[in-house]
Amino acid sequence: MSETETPKQLLHLVFGGELESPDGLTFRDLDALDIVGIYPNYAEAYTAWKAKAQATVDNAHMRYFIVHMHRLLDPETAS
């Protein structure tokens, strides 16, 4: 990559909410989802995810996720 090229954005969404069951993936209340943010790379998304996950560790039903948006936007992307 030359100095004038910008790195390809690999967008990641971090969000979470309370699950109906700690071992499931169904949220109790979709209106109460916590949309943490969209990040330009996995490292930044992971940092945000980790902070939220650690802050809610006492609630077994609360779960945060990282969604690789770049894979949804461009399924051919291998990264």
Side-chain angles (χ1 to χ4, degrees), residues 10-45:
L10 299 176
L11 299 178
H12 293 78
L13 165 68
V14 178
F15 79 101
E18 280 197 274
L19 300 174
E20 289 182 357
S21 169
D23 58 350
L25 291 176
T26 303
F27 292 98
R28 284 186 178 166
D29 182 1
L30 293 178
D31 291 330
L33 287 179
D34 181 9
I35 308 300
V36 179
I38 297 174
Y39 299 88
N41 56 55
Y42 182 81
E44 289 185 39

Side-chain angles (χ1 to χ4, degrees), residues 1-7:
M1 178 179 336
S2 73
E3 290 180 29
T4 59
E5 290 182 65
T6 56

